[in-house]
Amino acid sequence: MSVYSGSANAFRIPGSDPAAMEECTSFSCEVGAAASEPTVVVAAVVVGLAAFLAFAYVREAVDAGQHERRRVLAERDAFEEFADRIDALDPAPAESTASRFDGPMATVRTVDRTGGDVRLRRVLAAYRDTVMSVPHYREEYDETVPESLAAELGPDTATALASNGTLSDAAQSALVGRSRRAAEARSSLAEAIGEEIDALRAFEDDLSCVDRRRRRLLEHLDGVSGAGTDAAIDVWERLEDLERECDGIAAERQEAITDPPMTPDSAVDVDGDHAFYEYLYGPTDGPLYPVLAQVSELAERIRTDRDGVASRLAGGQ
């Protein structure tokens, strides 16, 4: 998922539109006032006061991260294999020359379609057999060999190959070096995705802890006979404490979002602060900021619970 930029911290942002986000209207706006983006508000569906929350947004985000990490690692392995195969080729003699072409990309297209120098044919065959053979290549990229070479290894790669219409020492060195850097970039990206997955799981644990305490409070109150005014007041106050914990979790995630595991360089025309999340979650059906969406859902549930306890107090039940 990277574009050539000469560094290991760039990746392609998929073309699909990110999931639509609504204006935040509650606590997450307040705790994130210093960073107006990202914000999200999610309408909670109340199934029962003591019901478990599924935390579907976070779990789906973990699944998406694991899926993308597998694809990135497949691309890393493909570039490593391509580099090894090119490194093992015998370059053309220094005195080798070729006919003039209508441009560097034309050279690669011509050889790819009609034949040409055996070394260059082996380069293109190796590229097709490795990088272009990852299972998701057609779905994700669907590029021709020249287009993919230019996007992944730099437009001057074709120029190097076209200089003599064969595989020169310089072209071979460039292909091997850039392919290994492409593999390293994907290793870095896979590591960044792994960090995000770990962060998602940690936040899910925090939210699950809050939700368990929420349910225990309500179960305790349900077990109190009579009006139970003192118990209801205590539960109402403790629920208020849990809502403040949600504020803290949201603030922690807001801060983390401003320092993502990886940021692209100028080769990617996306706001660097949020590009990693657009890359990872934009193509999914879920929210762009799943932790914030999940915190908002839990906080809404807690507020609903508090309203129920307040109604009990008002009714003397």
Side-chain angles (χ1 to χ4, degrees):
M1 301 297 280
S2 69
V3 292
Y4 173 75
S5 66
S7 68
N9 65 336
F11 41 83
R12 296 202 215 188
I13 302 298
S16 56
D17 292 334
M21 304 289 289
E22 299 179 31
E23 284 293 325
C24 175
T25 59
S26 60
F27 74 101
S28 59
C29 284
E30 297 172 4
V31 299
S36 60
E37 292 259 9
T39 52
V40 64
V41 61
V42 179
V45 178
V46 180
V47 179
L49 290 181
F52 282 98
L53 282 179
F55 299 119
Y57 295 130
V58 174
R59 292 175 184 176
E60 288 170 2
V62 168
D63 290 342
Q66 291 175 327
H67 176 69
E68 183 60 22
R69 188 172 183 274
R70 286 192 295 268
R71 288 167 33 131
V72 169
L73 290 175
E75 294 182 17
R76 179 204 63 186
D77 294 344
F79 273 106
E80 287 178 347
E81 183 181 352
F82 176 68
D84 289 342
R85 290 175 63 170
I86 300 306
D87 195 34
L89 293 176
D90 293 327
E95 64 273 11
S96 176
T97 58
S99 302
R100 295 179 61 187
F101 295 90
D102 294 329
M105 299 300 283
T107 302
V108 180
R109 289 193 183 96
T110 300
V111 174
D112 190 31
R113 294 172 184 170
T114 64
D117 179 84
V118 64
R119 299 172 187 83
L120 190 49
R121 289 204 308 271
R122 287 173 180 168
V123 169
L124 302 183
Y127 196 80
R128 283 193 297 268
D129 293 344
T130 56
V131 176
M132 297 179 70
S133 290
V134 293
H136 60 277
Y137 183 84
R138 184 172 296 277
E139 172 192 355
E140 183 72 23
Y141 304 111
D142 197 22
E143 296 169 330
T144 64
V145 173
E147 290 170 342
S148 184
L149 279 170
E152 298 290 358
L153 304 181
D156 56 333
T157 299
T159 302
L161 292 174
S163 60
N164 288 314
T166 186
L167 182 65
S168 66
D169 281 327
Q172 182 181 32
S173 178
L175 282 173
V176 172
R178 291 183 180 183
S179 296
R180 297 206 190 286
R181 286 196 293 273
E184 291 169 1
R186 282 161 172 80
S187 290
S188 297
L189 180 54
E191 183 178 346
I193 295 172
E195 290 179 20
E196 172 68 1
I197 291 171
D198 290 343
L200 290 172
R201 286 172 170 159
F203 277 111
E204 183 183 5
D205 287 344
D206 291 342
L207 293 171
S208 295
C209 180
V210 172
D211 190 45
R212 282 194 300 270
R213 288 153 60 199
R214 175 190 71 86
R215 288 183 291 103
R216 287 170 184 165
L217 286 170
L218 297 175
E219 290 166 359
H220 167 70
L221 186 59
D222 287 342
V224 174
S225 58
T229 301
D230 290 342
I233 292 174
D234 181 61
V235 167
W236 192 91
E237 291 175 345
R238 289 176 181 271
L239 288 172
E240 187 177 31
D241 292 339
L242 292 183
E243 189 174 354
R244 280 195 290 269
E245 286 192 37
C246 287
D247 290 352
I249 294 172
E252 182 181 353
R253 181 57 175 176
Q254 288 274 18
E255 182 177 357
I257 286 173
T258 63
D259 184 24
M262 173 176 280
T263 55
D265 60 19
S266 58
V268 179
D269 187 21
V270 180
D271 181 1
D273 287 344
H274 304 153
F276 179 78
Y277 303 101
E278 290 185 30
Y279 152 72
L280 199 56
Y281 304 125
T284 72
D285 294 330
L288 201 59
Y289 305 101
V291 173
L292 293 181
Q294 209 72 80
V295 175
S296 182
E297 184 181 55
L298 177 55
E300 182 64 28
R301 179 64 60 85
I302 291 171
R303 281 191 289 272
T304 299
D305 294 340
R306 289 178 65 205
D307 289 345
V309 174
S311 297
R312 174 172 175 155
L313 285 167
Q317 300 177 351

